[in-house]
Amino acid sequence: MLRLYRALERRFGPQRWWPGRTPFEVAAGAVLTQNTAWTNAAGAVAALRAARRLTPAALAGAPRRRLAAIVRSSGTYRVKAARLQAFTAWLLARFGGRFSGLRAAPLAALRREMLGVAGLGPETVDAILLYAAHRPVFVADAYTRRVLARHRLLRAGAGYETARALVEAHLPSDPALFNEYHALIVAVAKTHCRAAPRCEGCPLRFDLGGRPPARG
Ligand code: SF4
């Protein structure tokens, strides 16, 4: 797993994820990018900032319809507005809106609790925990599962939690490493490991050992 990481790092260099001026902004971006391209979510984050709604108190206090209009560029904007407010209400109730609480709470119980917040699935929860709170949780998204399956590290069709557990078991528990590794996997998935793999020239080709990629 580390050999793959180093090959990706050599090819793509530092990815500097996740863009965001504050942890709350990063978390809002994680919710807004669900099922949409980052450029659409980034537009919604910028609109929230321009409307001065990018603090827990300001976002929680926004009328729902007004908030939905602000995040319109993120697609399914009424759903996104509801999810943003559900997460914010939880953050305010649980930690007074402060990310220091997310950084200090026992991780497994915290993750379970966050998965109970309406509209937060594992990928969103883990992105918030990793990128906003710097907790050692790997975001085992579809790109990760595709690359690992094609390299026979994960069985084809394995679910999110299986992939997350596998990666976390085979890497040092280091949020900075998880942060960069996930960003690098996204980079290789967008450039080479697409729906139809383009292994020619891919930095991970060495790992296939001359075999074709597995189904994944
Ligand atoms: S494109 Fe080929 S070599 Fe590159 S990550 Fe995908 S399966 Fe591996």
Side-chain angles (χ1 to χ4, degrees), residues 150-151 192-193 197-199 202 204-205 208 213:
R150 285 178 174 169
H151 282 256
H192 289 276
C193 210
R198 301 176 180 174
C199 300
C202 177
L204 300 188
R205 190 172 190 188
L208 293 174

Side-chain angles (χ1 to χ4, degrees), residues 7-8 11-12 143 146-147 150-151 184-206 208 213 216:
L8 291 171
R11 171 67 62 85
F12 295 110
Y143 291 138
R146 178 195 288 171
V147 171
R150 285 178 174 169
H151 282 256
L184 288 165
I185 284 178
V186 173
V188 77
K190 288 189 169 171
T191 53
H192 289 276
C193 210
R194 301 161 71 113
R198 301 176 180 174
C199 300
E200 186 71 35
C202 177
L204 300 188
R205 190 172 190 188
F206 76 93
L208 293 174

